[in-house]
Amino acid sequence: MEELALHILDLVQNCVEAQASWVYIRVAEDPALNTLSVSIEDNGRGMNEEQQARAIDPFYTTRTTRKVGLGIPLLKAAAEDTGGSFTITSAPGRGTLIEASFVRDHIDRVPVGNMADTLSALLALHNNIELRYEHVVGDRSFCLSTAVLREICGDELSHPRIVSWLRSYISEQENSLEV
Amino acid sequence: MKSIEELRRLREEVRQMTKLREGSPEIKIIVGMGTCGIAAGARETLNTFVQEVAEQSIEGVSVTQSGCVGLCDREPIVEVQHGAERTIYARVTPERARRIVTEHIKGGRTIAEWITRN
Ligand SMILES: Nc1ncnc2c1ncn2[C@@H]1O[C@H](COP(=O)(O)OP(=O)(O)OP(=O)(O)O)[C@@H](O)[C@H]1O
Ligand SMILES: [Mg+2]
C-alpha cells in the first residue's frame, strides 16, 4: 500500500471486527531522531500468543472469504523494509496494541499519506466507536477525538455533510503540521 | 481556517433537515472495505459517495461497508440496495461512483456494463 494512512484504515477495520468500542491511533514523527512510529490500540477481543504469531503470517486469517490475511503482514513488511520494527502486544479480552516503527528518511519509507481521507472514511462508517487520533511532528501536533466531536455534533457526527466538513478540517490541520 | 463555530452551525442545519424526515434510508450504498478493497482504492470510492451525497443534499441514502466478499480481483466492489433490489458493481473508481449517484441513485437506472455477479 502506498500510504501509511491506508495501512491505518485497514488495521482499524481489524479493531472494529474485533468488537472494539474505542480505538486510539497515534502517528509520531521525530525529525531530529529520524524516527516515525505508528501505533493502533483497541479494547477489542484481543489475541492469545498463538493467534498473534499466526497474525503476522500471511497464510493465517479467521476470515472465510479468502485464504490469506494481508493487513498485518503488509504493515510489518513496510516497517521492516526501512530497518524499523513491528510488534503486537495483546491478550484475550484485553485488547490489542500494534506498533510499527520506521526509519523516517529511508528511501523505502511509505509516506504518511492522506489521513483526512482515512479519518473521514472511519467517521462515516463507524458511528458507534470512539476514535482518538494524534499526529505529532517534532513539537507540533494535531489531535482529533470523536468524544469531543460528539459533544458538538451528537448523532449527526456520521452524517455525510458533517463528515465532508471534517475531512476538509482535518486536511487543513494535517497540512499545518508540515514545516 | 475552519472553525468549530462553523461546525456547530452546520450541525444545527443538518439537524433541522433530518428532523423533517423520519424512518430508515431507502437506499443503501455498501462499499467493500477489506484489505483487498482498500488496496484497490475503496477509501476514495467511499469518500466520493459520502461527498456526492453531502454536496447534492441527497436524503434517504446511507453509505456503509462490507468486508471482503471474495471478489478481490474486481475491487472496489459496491453494492446498491434499493428495497429488495440488489445491484453489485465492480471496479468502482471515483468517476464510476459519481455516475452511479447520478444515474442509479438519483435516476433509478442501473448501469449494466459495470454490474458483476458473485
Ligand atoms: N486488533 C485486532 N484484534 C483482534 N484480532 C485481530 C486484530 N487484528 C488482527 N486480528 C486477527 O488477525 C487476523 C489477521 O489480520 P489481517 O488484517 O492480517 O488479515 P484479515 O483481517 O484476516 O484479512 P484482510 O486481508 O482483509 O485484512 C485477523 O483475521 C484476526 O483474527
Ligand atoms: Mg484485516
Side-chain angles (χ1 to χ4, degrees):
Chain A
M1 277 194 244
E2 286 138 41
E3 304 176 21
L4 293 178
L6 289 172
H7 286 285
I8 290 171
L9 174 59
D10 184 37
L11 264 68
V12 174
Q13 296 287 69
N14 286 344
C15 310
V16 174
E17 274 157 37
Q19 247 85 59
S21 66
W22 59 259
V23 179
Y24 175 32
I25 305 162
R26 186 178 151 91
V27 178
E29 302 184 54
D30 191 327
L33 292 174
N34 195 24
T35 58
L36 185 158
S37 69
V38 174
S39 65
I40 298 160
E41 190 178 355
D42 71 60
N43 67 341
R45 96 167 79 82
M47 289 177 270
N48 62 30
E49 266 170 44
E50 192 209 336
Q51 290 168 320
Q52 291 169 48
R54 286 158 74 186
I56 57 177
D57 173 357
F59 296 101
Y60 170 70
T61 177
T62 54
R63 74 162 60 262
T64 51
T65 51
R66 181 169 9 95
K67 292 236 159 46
V68 295
L70 293 171
I72 290 179
L74 284 174
L75 179 60
K76 183 173 187 283
E80 289 174 351
D81 283 352
T82 71
S85 62
F86 181 89
T87 59
I88 300 178
T89 313
S90 185
R94 304 273 298 274
T96 300
L97 169 65
I98 302 238
E99 290 173 290
S101 307
F102 298 78
V103 173
R104 189 166 177 265
D105 74 355
H106 193 282
I107 185 157
D108 292 327
R109 204 261 296 165
V110 180
V112 174
N114 197 331
M115 280 305 304
D117 277 2
T118 283
L119 292 166
S120 78
L122 291 171
L123 290 169
L125 294 172
H126 308 302
N127 195 14
N128 45 8
I129 285 189
E130 290 308 335
L131 212 72
R132 212 176 104 82
Y133 166 69
E134 195 180 7
H135 186 174
V136 181
V137 183
D139 55 9
R140 299 175 195 224
S141 70
F142 166 57
C143 185
L144 189 87
S145 149
T146 54
V148 174
L149 292 174
R150 219 176 292 280
E151 281 172 24
I152 302 168
C153 301
D155 289 339
E156 283 82 37
L157 184 55
S158 63
H159 189 280
R161 289 182 63 193
I162 302 278
V163 172
S164 290
W165 188 93
L166 286 168
R167 176 155 74 131
S168 319
Y169 168 75
I170 297 164
S171 184
E172 278 182 3
Q173 298 293 323
E174 283 281 308
N175 287 338
S176 67
L177 288 178
E178 307 295 327
V179 193
Chain B
M1 286 294 247
K2 293 200 165 322
S3 71
I4 294 303
E5 236 355 272
E6 208 178 305
L7 180 60
R8 262 184 237 286
R9 281 197 299 275
L10 177 64
R11 189 260 172 143
E12 222 23 72
E13 216 179 282
V14 167
R15 190 158 59 167
Q16 296 305 325
M17 296 263 310
T18 47
K19 239 189 355 210
L20 298 175
R21 54 166 308 120
E22 294 290 313
S24 50
E26 291 108 62
I27 300 183
K28 270 191 188 170
I29 302 171
I30 306 166
V31 183
M33 295 293 292
T35 305
C36 44
I38 292 171
R43 181 186 66 179
E44 277 62 37
T45 304
L46 179 98
N47 282 327
T48 303
F49 279 118
V50 169
Q51 190 161 348
E52 290 297 308
V53 168
E55 279 174 6
Q56 305 189 41
S57 298
I58 304 170
E59 294 290 328
V61 173
S62 72
V63 184
T64 58
Q65 69 163 11
S66 63
C68 164
V69 289
L71 305 173
C72 309
D73 57 324
R74 282 164 272 172
E75 295 278 358
I77 291 282
V78 172
E79 180 175 337
V80 177
Q81 284 185 6
H82 192 166
E85 190 185 299
R86 287 153 176 256
T87 312
I88 300 175
Y89 290 111
R91 300 189 187 91
V92 183
T93 56
E95 291 70 29
R96 287 188 176 190
R98 277 186 279 272
R99 242 185 83 192
I100 289 169
V101 170
T102 313
E103 291 182 29
H104 187 158
I105 308 295
K106 293 171 77 185
R109 297 178 306 274
T110 56
I111 305 170
E113 53 184 315
W114 301 339
I115 292 176
T116 193
R117 268 164 236 290
N118 55 358

Short mmCIF file of all heavy atoms in Angstrom, two decimals, chain A residues 9-15 17 61 63 66 69-73, chain B residues 33-35 38, ligand 2:
data_model
loop_
_atom_site.label_atom_id
_atom_site.label_comp_id
_atom_site.label_asym_id
_atom_site.label_seq_id
_atom_site.Cartn_x
_atom_site.Cartn_y
_atom_site.Cartn_z
N LEU A 9 -6.09 2.70 8.03
CA LEU A 9 -7.51 2.42 7.76
C LEU A 9 -7.77 0.92 7.84
O LEU A 9 -8.72 0.46 8.47
CB LEU A 9 -7.88 2.97 6.38
CG LEU A 9 -9.28 2.67 5.85
CD1 LEU A 9 -10.36 3.21 6.78
CD2 LEU A 9 -9.45 3.27 4.45
N ASP A 10 -6.89 0.15 7.21
CA ASP A 10 -7.05 -1.29 7.15
C ASP A 10 -6.95 -1.92 8.54
O ASP A 10 -7.73 -2.79 8.90
CB ASP A 10 -5.97 -1.85 6.22
CG ASP A 10 -6.11 -3.34 6.02
OD1 ASP A 10 -7.26 -3.81 5.94
OD2 ASP A 10 -5.08 -4.02 5.94
N LEU A 11 -5.99 -1.46 9.34
CA LEU A 11 -5.82 -2.06 10.67
C LEU A 11 -6.93 -1.65 11.64
O LEU A 11 -7.30 -2.43 12.51
CB LEU A 11 -4.42 -1.76 11.24
CG LEU A 11 -3.46 -2.93 10.95
CD1 LEU A 11 -3.16 -3.06 9.48
CD2 LEU A 11 -2.21 -2.82 11.77
N VAL A 12 -7.47 -0.45 11.46
CA VAL A 12 -8.60 -0.07 12.32
C VAL A 12 -9.82 -0.95 12.00
O VAL A 12 -10.61 -1.27 12.87
CB VAL A 12 -8.93 1.43 12.21
CG1 VAL A 12 -10.19 1.79 12.99
CG2 VAL A 12 -7.76 2.27 12.71
N GLN A 13 -9.92 -1.38 10.75
CA GLN A 13 -11.01 -2.30 10.39
C GLN A 13 -10.89 -3.61 11.20
O GLN A 13 -11.90 -4.18 11.61
CB GLN A 13 -10.98 -2.62 8.88
CG GLN A 13 -11.23 -1.42 7.99
CD GLN A 13 -12.68 -0.97 8.01
OE1 GLN A 13 -13.19 -0.46 9.01
NE2 GLN A 13 -13.37 -1.17 6.92
N ASN A 14 -9.66 -4.07 11.43
CA ASN A 14 -9.46 -5.26 12.29
C ASN A 14 -9.99 -5.00 13.69
O ASN A 14 -10.61 -5.87 14.30
CB ASN A 14 -7.97 -5.61 12.40
CG ASN A 14 -7.40 -6.24 11.14
OD1 ASN A 14 -8.13 -6.69 10.28
ND2 ASN A 14 -6.08 -6.25 11.06
N CYS A 15 -9.72 -3.80 14.23
CA CYS A 15 -10.17 -3.44 15.58
C CYS A 15 -11.69 -3.49 15.65
O CYS A 15 -12.27 -3.99 16.61
CB CYS A 15 -9.70 -2.04 15.98
SG CYS A 15 -7.95 -1.73 15.73
N GLU A 17 -13.67 -5.18 13.64
CA GLU A 17 -14.10 -6.58 13.55
C GLU A 17 -13.90 -7.30 14.89
O GLU A 17 -14.63 -8.23 15.21
CB GLU A 17 -13.31 -7.31 12.45
CG GLU A 17 -13.96 -7.14 11.08
CD GLU A 17 -12.97 -7.34 9.93
OE1 GLU A 17 -12.09 -8.21 10.04
OE2 GLU A 17 -13.08 -6.59 8.93
N THR A 61 -5.65 -16.46 8.64
CA THR A 61 -6.74 -15.49 8.73
C THR A 61 -7.93 -16.18 9.37
O THR A 61 -8.08 -17.40 9.26
CB THR A 61 -7.13 -14.92 7.35
OG1 THR A 61 -8.23 -14.04 7.49
CG2 THR A 61 -7.53 -16.03 6.37
N ARG A 63 -10.84 -14.96 8.59
CA ARG A 63 -11.91 -14.69 7.64
C ARG A 63 -12.17 -15.93 6.80
O ARG A 63 -11.32 -16.81 6.68
CB ARG A 63 -11.61 -13.47 6.80
CG ARG A 63 -10.54 -13.65 5.74
CD ARG A 63 -10.62 -12.55 4.69
NE ARG A 63 -10.46 -11.20 5.18
CZ ARG A 63 -11.45 -10.38 5.44
NH1 ARG A 63 -12.68 -10.77 5.28
NH2 ARG A 63 -11.22 -9.18 5.86
N ARG A 66 -11.54 -15.55 2.05
CA ARG A 66 -10.27 -15.56 1.33
C ARG A 66 -9.29 -16.35 2.16
O ARG A 66 -9.38 -16.40 3.38
CB ARG A 66 -9.79 -14.10 1.17
CG ARG A 66 -8.50 -14.01 0.43
CD ARG A 66 -8.07 -12.58 -0.01
NE ARG A 66 -8.77 -11.45 0.45
CZ ARG A 66 -8.44 -10.71 1.51
NH1 ARG A 66 -7.42 -11.05 2.24
NH2 ARG A 66 -9.13 -9.65 1.82
N GLY A 69 -4.74 -13.62 5.03
CA GLY A 69 -4.99 -12.34 5.68
C GLY A 69 -3.79 -11.47 5.38
O GLY A 69 -2.65 -11.88 5.53
N LEU A 70 -4.02 -10.25 4.92
CA LEU A 70 -2.91 -9.47 4.40
C LEU A 70 -2.55 -8.25 5.23
O LEU A 70 -1.41 -7.79 5.20
CB LEU A 70 -3.28 -8.98 2.99
CG LEU A 70 -3.41 -10.07 1.93
CD1 LEU A 70 -4.00 -9.48 0.66
CD2 LEU A 70 -2.05 -10.69 1.66
N GLY A 71 -3.51 -7.72 5.94
CA GLY A 71 -3.34 -6.42 6.58
C GLY A 71 -2.09 -6.31 7.44
O GLY A 71 -1.24 -5.44 7.24
N ILE A 72 -1.97 -7.21 8.41
CA ILE A 72 -0.85 -7.15 9.35
C ILE A 72 0.50 -7.44 8.65
O ILE A 72 1.44 -6.66 8.81
CB ILE A 72 -1.11 -8.07 10.56
CG1 ILE A 72 -2.24 -7.42 11.39
CG2 ILE A 72 0.14 -8.31 11.38
CD1 ILE A 72 -2.65 -8.19 12.61
N PRO A 73 0.61 -8.52 7.86
CA PRO A 73 1.90 -8.76 7.17
C PRO A 73 2.36 -7.60 6.29
O PRO A 73 3.56 -7.32 6.21
CB PRO A 73 1.62 -10.00 6.32
CG PRO A 73 0.50 -10.70 7.03
CD PRO A 73 -0.34 -9.62 7.63
N MET B 33 -14.74 -2.89 2.20
CA MET B 33 -13.61 -2.23 2.85
C MET B 33 -12.65 -3.22 3.51
O MET B 33 -12.02 -2.91 4.52
CB MET B 33 -14.12 -1.22 3.89
CG MET B 33 -14.90 -0.04 3.31
SD MET B 33 -13.91 1.08 2.29
CE MET B 33 -12.86 1.82 3.53
N GLY B 34 -12.50 -4.43 2.93
CA GLY B 34 -11.45 -5.34 3.39
C GLY B 34 -10.10 -4.84 2.86
O GLY B 34 -10.04 -3.85 2.14
N THR B 35 -9.03 -5.54 3.23
CA THR B 35 -7.70 -5.14 2.74
C THR B 35 -7.65 -5.06 1.22
O THR B 35 -7.09 -4.13 0.63
CB THR B 35 -6.62 -6.13 3.22
OG1 THR B 35 -6.70 -6.23 4.64
CG2 THR B 35 -5.23 -5.68 2.83
N ILE B 38 -9.43 -1.86 0.09
CA ILE B 38 -8.64 -0.67 0.44
C ILE B 38 -7.43 -0.55 -0.50
O ILE B 38 -7.14 0.53 -1.01
CB ILE B 38 -8.20 -0.72 1.92
CG1 ILE B 38 -9.43 -0.57 2.83
CG2 ILE B 38 -7.17 0.37 2.23
CD1 ILE B 38 -9.16 -0.82 4.31
MG MG C 2 -7.56 -7.08 8.25
#
